[in-house]
Amino acid sequence: MIHKTSPEVGGMGHPIKRKEDLRFIQGKGNYVDDVHLPGMVYGQLVRSPYAHARLKSINTEQAKKLPGVLAVITGEDLAKANLAWMPTLSYDKQMVLATGKVLFQSQEVAFVVAEDRYTAADAAELVAVEYEELPVLVDPKKALDPDSPVLREDREQKNNHIFHWEVGDRNATEQVFQNAAVKASVQAFFQRCHPAPLETCGCVVDFNRATGKLTVYMTSQAPHAHRTVFALVGGIPEQNIRVISPDIGGGFGNKVPVYPGYVCAIVASLTLGVPVKWIETRSENLQSTGFARDYHMTAEIAADRDGKMQALRVKTLADHGAFNAAAQPTKFPAGLFSICTGSYDYPTAFCEVDGVYTNKAPGGIAYRCSFRVTEAAYLIERVVDVLALELKMDPAELRRKNFIPASKFPYKSSLGWTYDSGNYEAAMKLALDKIGYAQLRKEQQERRKKGELMGIGISSFTEIVGAGPAHTFDILGIKMFDSCEIRVHPTGKAIARMGTKSQGQGHETTYAQIVAQELGIPAADVSVEEGDTDTAPYGLGTYASRSTPTSGAATAVAARKIRDKAKKIAAYLLECSENDLEWEPGKFFVKGAPSKAKTIQEIAFAAYTNIPPGLEAGLEAVDYYDPPNLTFPFGTYVCVVDIDKGTGEVKVRRFVAVDDCGNIINPMIVEGQIHGGLTEGLGIAFMQQIDYDESGNVQGGSFQDYLLPTAVETPHWETDKTCTPSPHHPFGAKGVGESPNVGSPAAFVNAVVDALSHLGVKHIDMPIAPWKVWNILKEKGITS
Ligand code: CDP
């Protein structure tokens, strides 16, 4: 049980308004493109129009002659400084600027620096690149064909296969399948999509020749990790590098990797000795920075006739594009994909994944996702519905029958994960009751009789968030803990700094609430600062819903360290033994004599003015928290759709989302996170795909083709919650930010398939655009 503080203190559970919104809603945010430094110049990338071509020559003469142009950097120039290639997060390497050949459309070929942005753009047009086109591979299955051209000539391995990875018991699973009474399978493609944050990626790099200090203002979700990478790759002493991530307009994983633009801007500033700004355009962002998903998956379930699931088998082809730059910090090449057994108690399972190179942009970032959990959750929730169809069983009933029972937690899955806590049935019951499931099924029968198309989709997903623990997670060897440092000032106000970095999640508010909860200092009196590597303690950043499980935990532990010291000071001030003191948020008092008390503010003042003998002055603490396990939030989403038979248009009539992220810091912020993630899930399910034509041209490189849901398409989200605290987290919380993006695509797709299942439809790949549904209806003779 969490002690509820007063609204004035605003600890955990209070829906206090976001502190940061004061500046955001007034247009006073400070984003990277708002940074203007004296003498600043601008960089522009020259990009390849071809998806696969040999670079015959690059002529920069005309560009250099344009007045205002200061430099044109090519891959050959970078090669001289050993910087033409850089390491990726997945232990591959990636070209910074192309040398030899280009491997995807929009690949970075040269970097032009000029006095203003327009001149840089004009000069980029004048860089004359001669290409010799090569055969293009966009289909990962074809890329594995032995006759296919080898894309990565730099590798010793002369094919396009990156890795094979498997987990689970292949033979035991095979045996269960041989003897299974019922089998169900689905082939599901989780399309390539893109987080498309409101703010694109960019940086301002300021190398000061006099001090040797390199300051990089950048759109970074992981400023410390980027600082270390710049030090290791660029050979710059780490103490001379300061990475500052100011306000960030959405990241969703897109701002985790190091992109060539950052490196080029650093090289340019080091070379020219002036600040260099590089900001992507929208098309550059969509076409060249980290994509997400692109998983071609097959799942099969073996079950008995009563619907008891006995085994799961999963086979996947992962399209990584030209370089394996997947943002995944585990020792497993497919990240956390082996969470694909989901919420179900499978005695046996086997999962294998093969990674492949194609002529597409690199990435494989975890778009609001814990390193492939979204793909896994979608797959399992899809195939469970296919099994329900096979068995002619209600999908809710089938789920209920197979859920990991609440009594079995902590639960060790057949693919190796130990789930911390869960109560799946309670979440599903609440969601079904809230939406009126039984009544809706009756309505569906009635409507079917009238020839109308209505569907109900359920997704009972399980998540896996909060990377570390350090023994399983690292970024280029750096262990995945996270941190918090708290300093209490003499007047009882405080500043807290973390190794994470908000991109809009409201950290300035929620971390202050954790301090308020633990110390009783009002959240309004606690300022939170992230994103400056010169001041914040080292951390691995924010993505994959890890802030609450890691830095959130570190904040509570650091506050408790402060409380321990405060107790010593209180005992001194009250002239009693520490053992005689009791704590309630905000003060220590003498047991049995509540009026004999010292508030945290009085104690803070004494820490600087009336220090007990033998104790250091000051009141501050730091904690680097290595979580003992991940946290496993979960939920049930139920979606109701109506389909227009004439146009194939799907209308989401209702959507109920029940989430369980354990104890909640700020219910209003959590609700906002759910709304945002569901809206992204809607976009993925119905509108979005970064597709390629046969020549490797990007078909989704602008918002004309890559559609974002607006208020017009977005339904009213109905949210609710259950609360199953994490047993190992200091205040029982689990992450939540990515849950709605992870859990919702299956609910949408299951609803559409459910609406069409009586016509024999078992699966439709996302994005479910009206034309796809219309074609099915035409094929089934429902529309003409
Ligand atoms: O790492 P990221 O901040 O994206 O994800 P998160 O830890 O899931 O947190 C997202 C937002 O929800 C943060 O502002 C958290 O403090 C808040 N949150 C909360 O209030 N209660 C929880 N149990 C989990 C998150």
Side-chain angles (χ1 to χ4, degrees):
M1 261 302 276
I2 297 276
H3 174 99
K4 186 105 184 200
T5 58
S6 66
E8 292 71 39
V9 171
M12 280 186 56
H14 288 286
I16 60 176
K17 287 189 179 166
R18 300 192 344 156
K19 293 175 168 205
E20 45 270 78
D21 285 351
L22 272 181
R23 64 176 187 279
F24 292 152
I25 61 173
Q26 293 180 73
K28 298 271 166 63
N30 181 35
Y31 298 88
V32 171
D33 207 10
D34 294 321
V35 175
H36 293 279
L37 301 179
M40 189 172 79
V41 299
Y42 297 80
Q44 171 80 34
L45 280 158
V46 177
R47 294 177 180 275
S48 167
Y50 298 108
H52 195 197
R54 211 161 287 289
L55 277 178
K56 294 190 76 182
S57 66
I58 304 179
N59 188 331
T60 60
E61 289 314 309
Q62 289 305 317
K64 280 179 181 159
K65 276 186 198 154
L66 193 74
V69 171
L70 303 167
V72 182
I73 301 168
T74 64
E76 297 293 332
D77 300 326
L78 293 183
K80 287 175 203 148
N82 207 17
L83 284 174
W85 292 77
M86 62 181 176
T88 71
L89 287 170
S90 284
Y91 295 94
D92 192 2
K93 56 180 186 160
Q94 169 177 359
M95 285 186 225
V96 177
L97 292 176
T99 48
K101 63 177 189 169
V102 289
L103 287 157
F104 64 94
Q105 188 181 54
S106 273
Q107 186 174 338
E108 302 80 3
V109 173
F111 190 73
V112 177
V113 189
E115 282 166 0
D116 63 80
R117 206 169 171 175
Y118 304 97
T119 307
D122 287 347
E125 300 272 309
L126 296 175
V127 175
V129 186
E130 211 186 331
Y131 297 95
E132 178 191 314
E133 283 185 74
L134 294 168
V136 171
L137 289 171
V138 287
D139 178 349
K141 292 180 202 89
K142 273 196 195 149
L144 284 181
D145 194 327
D147 298 333
S148 285
V150 176
L151 301 184
R152 290 287 300 279
E153 290 162 359
D154 57 290
R155 292 201 322 157
E156 262 175 42
Q157 198 176 314
K158 294 300 171 214
N159 58 32
N160 300 314
H161 187 242
I162 309 173
F163 64 82
H164 174 80
W165 175 67
E166 54 183 59
V167 59
D169 192 331
R170 184 194 285 269
N171 293 336
T173 307
E174 175 67 36
Q175 264 183 3
V176 178
F177 270 90
Q178 272 175 14
N179 304 318
V182 183
K183 291 174 207 166
S185 71
V186 71
Q187 281 195 338
F189 173 44
F190 205 131
Q191 78 275 24
R192 181 176 266 242
C193 45
H194 198 286
L198 200 56
E199 177 202 27
T200 60
C201 299
C203 61
V204 176
V205 184
D206 182 16
F207 178 61
N208 185 325
R209 278 187 179 149
T211 60
K213 185 101 182 174
L214 180 77
T215 306
V216 186
Y217 302 85
M218 65 187 284
T219 48
S220 170
Q221 293 180 231
H224 283 99
H226 284 154
R227 184 188 72 190
T228 304
V229 169
F230 295 152
L232 292 175
V233 176
I236 306 159
E238 196 165 357
Q239 81 280 11
N240 283 354
I241 307 173
R242 180 179 188 188
V243 174
I244 301 174
S245 291
D247 288 326
I248 296 191
F252 313 109
N254 187 229
K255 291 165 181 169
V256 171
V258 173
Y259 293 116
Y262 301 143
V263 180
C264 291
I266 291 174
V267 170
S269 186
L270 288 171
T271 312
L272 298 169
V274 292
V276 178
K277 179 182 271 191
W278 167 74
I279 304 284
E280 276 176 343
T281 63
R282 176 61 57 192
S283 295
E284 286 181 297
N285 181 257
L286 283 170
Q287 293 178 13
S288 69
T289 61
F291 74 91
R293 328 291 189 229
D294 222 342
Y295 258 37
H296 300 254
M297 309 177 285
T298 305
E300 303 163 272
I301 301 178
D304 68 18
R305 290 209 186 281
D306 295 333
K308 190 77 191 146
M309 299 174 194
Q310 294 166 329
L312 176 75
R313 189 160 55 189
V314 169
K315 192 170 170 55
T316 286
L317 202 54
D319 185 342
H320 283 264
F323 308 102
N324 183 12
Q328 82 80 16
T330 68
K331 53 188 175 191
F332 320 117
L336 307 185
F337 188 64
S338 55
I339 193 74
C340 58
T341 50
S343 309
Y344 309 100
D345 191 6
Y346 281 101
T348 316
F350 178 69
C351 167
E352 60 185 323
V353 183
D354 286 274
V356 183
Y357 290 119
T358 56
N359 289 118
K360 299 177 187 170
I365 49 129
Y367 168 19
R368 211 167 183 158
C369 159
S370 267
F371 324 116
R372 306 299 187 181
V373 61
T374 315
E375 293 86 327
Y378 174 67
L379 185 65
I380 185 68
E381 288 306 304
R382 222 25 308 283
V383 71
V384 166
D385 259 36
V386 175
L387 177 64
L389 267 180
E390 202 76 45
L391 291 161
K392 299 191 173 44
M393 194 185 257
D394 182 278
E397 183 51 34
L398 180 63
R399 284 177 168 81
R400 195 174 291 120
K401 199 171 207 144
N402 288 284
F403 278 151
I404 301 160
S407 58
K408 267 198 166 181
F409 289 90
Y411 170 83
K412 179 111 193 274
S413 85
S414 47
L415 293 182
W417 298 107
T418 301
Y419 296 25
D420 59 348
S421 64
N423 189 345
Y424 303 146
E425 196 165 338
M428 187 170 79
K429 182 173 183 324
L430 180 57
L432 296 182
D433 288 351
K434 205 173 162 89
I435 207 152
Y437 185 67
Q439 195 53 40
L440 282 168
R441 282 288 173 210
K442 280 190 200 135
E443 183 193 333
Q444 186 183 34
Q445 290 306 324
E446 294 304 314
R447 285 189 186 271
R448 272 193 185 162
K449 280 183 207 150
K450 291 192 253 168
E452 293 174 18
L453 300 173
M454 166 198 169
I456 309 157
I458 302 172
S459 167
S460 286
F461 62 96
T462 284
E463 267 258 72
I464 174 166
V465 309
H471 58 72
T472 311
F473 293 85
D474 68 87
I475 291 184
L476 301 176
I478 305 163
K479 300 293 182 187
M480 289 196 76
F481 53 83
D482 229 294
S483 61
C484 171
E485 180 211 72
I486 305 171
R487 292 182 182 176
V488 185
H489 308 314
T491 53
K493 319 287 180 189
I495 181 164
R497 296 187 171 107
M498 290 83 190
T500 48
K501 173 62 201 160
S502 186
Q503 311 118 43
Q505 295 93 324
H507 288 182
E508 286 170 47
T509 310
T510 47
Y511 283 132
Q513 287 185 265
I514 301 172
V515 177
Q517 181 69 35
E518 296 291 339
L519 291 178
I521 298 174
D525 291 348
V526 182
S527 65
V528 170
E529 196 185 275
E530 298 176 299
D532 184 340
T533 57
D534 265 10
T535 56
Y538 201 97
L540 278 298
T542 289
Y543 34 86
S545 294
R546 68 184 295 275
S547 302
T548 304
T550 58
S551 275
T555 306
V557 176
R560 289 171 195 178
K561 289 179 186 173
I562 287 178
R563 210 160 70 198
D564 287 345
K565 182 168 180 185
K567 194 176 192 182
K568 292 188 196 314
I569 300 173
Y572 174 70
L573 297 177
L574 292 165
E575 296 177 345
C576 66
S577 149
E578 276 184 63
N579 297 333
D580 295 334
L581 289 176
E582 254 180 60
W583 168 257
E584 74 170 49
K587 64 176 180 196
F588 278 107
F589 60 92
V590 178
K591 280 178 200 162
S595 61
K596 285 190 78 182
K598 286 289 167 194
T599 65
I600 188 75
Q601 289 79 8
E602 289 169 315
I603 296 168
F605 199 64
Y608 296 89
T609 57
N610 185 12
I611 307 144
L615 215 60
E616 275 179 22
L619 199 55
E620 58 186 64
V622 61
D623 188 71
Y624 291 84
Y625 188 82
D626 177 9
N629 188 8
L630 293 125
T631 66
F632 294 73
F634 59 92
T636 289
Y637 295 165
V638 191
C639 174
V640 185
V641 298
D642 297 294
I643 298 179
D644 184 320
K645 283 196 296 186
T647 62
E649 193 183 346
V650 177
K651 188 168 184 303
V652 176
R653 190 204 303 177
R654 283 187 69 193
F655 196 103
V656 166
V658 170
D659 273 276
D660 192 322
C661 58
N663 289 325
I664 286 179
I665 305 161
N666 184 322
M668 188 184 66
I669 286 184
V670 167
E671 200 182 350
Q673 292 285 303
I674 307 287
H675 282 212
L678 292 178
T679 308
E680 288 179 328
L682 179 85
I684 291 169
F686 294 110
M687 304 169 169
Q688 300 174 342
Q689 179 167 17
I690 303 279
D691 202 3
Y692 292 80
D693 71 10
E694 277 187 357
S695 310
N697 295 309
V698 189
Q699 314 287 293
S702 83
F703 281 161
Q704 261 185 313
D705 308 296
Y706 195 81
L707 307 178
L708 299 192
T710 68
V712 176
E713 295 85 16
T714 306
H716 170 70
W717 307 117
E718 300 169 57
T719 58
D720 212 327
K721 57 178 175 291
T722 55
C723 179
T724 314
S726 168
H728 63 76
H729 186 275
F731 52 87
K734 302 179 177 187
V736 75
E738 70 193 37
S739 291
N741 195 318
V742 170
S744 66
F748 294 117
V749 176
N750 286 349
V752 178
V753 173
D754 184 61
L756 304 171
S757 60
H758 60 296
L759 305 172
V761 174
K762 276 191 179 174
H763 177 70
I764 309 172
D765 271 332
M766 299 184 288
I768 304 184
W771 64 263
K772 259 191 207 172
V773 179
W774 188 82
N775 275 345
I776 293 169
L777 295 175
K778 188 155 172 273
E779 192 190 300
K780 303 286 180 190
I782 303 292
T783 193
S784 53

